[in-house]
Amino acid sequence: MEFSTKTIHAGQPSEPETGSLIAPIFQTSTYEQEAPGQHRGFDYSRTNNPTRARLEAVLAELEGVQYAAVYGSGLAAENAVLQAYLRPGDEIVIPLDVYGGTYRILNKVFQPLGCVVRQIDLSRPGALEGALSAKTRLVWIESPTNPRLLVYDIARIAAATHDAGALLVVDNTFATPLFQQPFALGADLVVHSVTKYLAGHSDVIQGAVLAKDAAVFEPVKFLQNATGAVPSPFDCWLTLRGLKTLELRMQRHAENAEAIATALNGHPLVRRVYYPGLADHPGHDIARRQMTGFGGMVSFELDGTIDEVVSFVSSRRYFALGESLGGVKALVCHPARMTHASIPAEERAKLGLSDTLVRLSPGCEHQRDLVADLLEGLAAVEQARALTVVHAAV
Ligand SMILES: Cc1ncc(COP(=O)(O)O)c(C=O)c1O
């Protein structure tokens, strides 16, 4: 079955009782049993729910594995993996460029419990091998990363991780299974903020963990029920609906991202564009090798002041200023003040996360409108500068 066919058919037969083409939302907390303990696979909706089961089935198919569990948010999914695998004294290796919430849960929740977080510059040759030890349980990466869209060689990292006897977790949120299949590259677990491209319409908060090996999956699945961070049947249904257009949406997001990166690259007010599709992007060759598309995100550093960035991001016509990404409606974000504000300023500087970095999540609008909106914004910055010079002269 091809990818787009899977998004529509996998795990989603018409509902058997009525023939309903799209299965209804099983909005129920519990299930009538024939005799104590005798039921049809469903006994309580924290443990299992037919709408959630459909979603888990299609997500597993899309990532090319057997096992998926969905959670009430991406961070709840991350928490399940971390809780399943980290004990006091265990070590986890993460790169410098990691989603702020992942950094926060590790440093504020798991480090105080006695887990050791080793944050390294993964692009430096030998850095990973130097950080791995007999105590390493997990290596955790994103690729492309948030927000600088760095690309890491997943197969190489998987090999080094396995040599050390650890598991590799890949956050595949930015690439989506359409553009990147981490399990084929050696990942042991994949996590998603389903909130983003998978659900795709900025109306759901949800997460997922996937695994190819039953033994690796089992402790994570156990925590779904044991700690109870499950999504509602309605949210699962919304994601099932959103997923059906994943390929179409991703193609559009990717085309828009490419048009924007091309328009911004070389602009006098843009110091640097981060987009894996640009030939001079440091991860371009790896991206070509391990991805089938460069994704839908673009970030850039404005060659200006923080005030200019604030004014630029606050006054766009189509790019709404907001956290999150991956929806049909375009979003713009200022990571230093928003998504990555939980990372202290000096840490952000060490991570190469400039205070004038702007992150764009082009939606499915027409690329001409999106590009024009950004170029108008840059022109407004230039005009404001010219006015300041005139005022100063007067
Ligand atoms: C790459 C990445 N992973 C995980 C998360 C957390 O997901 P959620 O916001 O659904 O909890 C996010 C959220 O922005 C993210 O960007």
Side-chain angles (χ1 to χ4, degrees):
M1 218 190 304
E2 298 295 331
F3 190 88
S4 58
T5 313
K6 283 185 191 169
T7 63
I8 295 162
H9 289 266
Q12 303 162 80
S14 300
E15 197 270 322
E17 199 165 317
T18 59
S20 172
L21 189 67
I22 301 299
I25 307 164
F26 285 86
Q27 191 68 41
T28 186
S29 61
T30 192
Y31 307 81
E32 187 173 344
Q33 306 195 3
E34 280 146 42
Q38 258 184 49
H39 54 76
R40 284 170 268 176
F42 300 95
D43 57 353
Y44 189 61
S45 278
R46 173 166 31 76
T47 319
N48 205 357
N49 171 279
T51 315
R52 199 173 88 206
R54 281 175 174 250
L55 175 57
E56 291 173 339
V58 59
L59 288 178
E61 283 263 1
L62 295 181
E63 289 285 5
V65 292
Q66 252 183 297
Y67 304 104
V70 291
Y71 297 82
S73 70
L75 269 170
E78 294 193 15
N79 182 58
V81 173
L82 298 171
Q83 234 186 311
Y85 283 103
L86 292 184
R87 297 285 169 272
D90 286 348
E91 298 187 2
I92 176 169
V93 178
I94 57 168
L96 293 179
D97 220 47
V98 75
Y99 166 60
T102 306
Y103 178 89
R104 182 179 52 205
I105 192 173
L106 283 169
N107 283 284
K108 300 275 187 200
V109 180
F110 284 90
Q111 195 154 279
L113 294 174
C115 305
V116 178
V117 182
R118 300 216 175 278
Q119 193 166 25
I120 57 164
D121 180 355
L122 199 46
S123 53
R124 208 166 42 77
L128 176 60
E129 288 74 7
L132 291 165
S133 78
K135 293 185 183 154
T136 312
R137 289 285 281 148
L138 297 176
V139 173
W140 186 293
I141 61 165
E142 295 164 33
S143 186
T145 66
N146 180 6
R148 288 192 301 152
L149 305 170
L150 303 184
V151 174
Y152 296 124
D153 185 336
I154 297 176
R156 191 188 70 73
I157 294 168
T161 302
H162 294 154
D163 282 350
L167 297 174
L168 175 64
V169 185
V170 175
D171 183 331
N172 206 26
T173 300
F174 272 42
T176 81
L178 176 67
F179 289 145
Q180 182 167 274
Q181 294 269 299
F183 289 110
L185 299 164
D188 300 288
L189 289 149
V190 164
V191 298
H192 274 283
S193 172
V194 174
T195 312
K196 311 296 179 341
Y197 289 112
L198 296 184
H201 294 72
S202 303
D203 50 14
V204 166
I205 296 283
Q206 206 169 73
V209 180
L210 297 106
K212 66 177 163 206
D213 190 278
V216 171
F217 181 63
E218 197 279 324
V220 180
K221 175 71 184 167
F222 171 79
L223 287 167
Q224 186 193 36
N225 182 48
T227 62
V230 291
S232 72
F234 180 53
D235 281 1
C236 293
W237 188 88
L238 280 175
T239 301
L240 280 165
R241 181 182 163 115
L243 271 179
K244 291 183 177 63
T245 53
L246 180 64
E247 181 165 323
L248 288 170
R249 286 187 287 105
M250 289 314 296
Q251 284 165 348
R252 182 66 168 228
H253 288 302
E255 282 163 20
N256 285 351
E258 187 180 355
I260 289 168
T262 309
L264 295 182
N265 202 21
H267 189 288
L269 280 190
V270 173
R271 194 177 297 140
R272 183 158 177 198
V273 176
Y274 296 91
Y275 171 66
L278 289 176
D280 63 355
H281 183 282
H284 180 67
D285 290 337
I286 302 171
R288 286 183 78 94
R289 218 170 43 233
Q290 75 183 13
M291 299 176 77
T292 55
F294 297 115
M297 299 294 293
V298 186
S299 298
F300 71 96
E301 268 170 42
L302 190 86
D303 195 0
T305 63
I306 291 215
D307 287 346
E308 285 173 335
V309 173
V310 169
S311 142
F312 176 88
V313 298
S314 311
S315 54
R316 304 292 20 96
R317 184 163 173 193
Y318 300 117
F319 286 87
L321 178 62
E323 310 242 345
S324 203
L325 59 111
V328 289
K329 214 169 162 182
L331 283 167
V332 60
C333 158
H334 182 196
R337 291 262 170 99
M338 296 165 71
T339 47
H340 290 62
S342 59
I343 303 177
E346 60 283 7
E347 289 294 319
R348 283 202 309 271
K350 271 195 241 156
L351 310 180
L353 221 160
S354 151
D355 281 354
T356 65
L357 188 76
V358 175
R359 190 185 76 182
L360 301 168
S361 171
C364 291
E365 300 90 344
H366 198 287
Q367 59 178 251
R368 271 202 296 275
D369 288 326
L370 296 182
V371 169
D373 188 19
L374 297 171
L375 295 181
E376 274 163 29
L378 293 174
V381 172
E382 266 168 342
Q383 260 166 17
R385 279 188 196 174
L387 275 177
T388 319
V389 173
V390 172
H391 278 304
V394 171

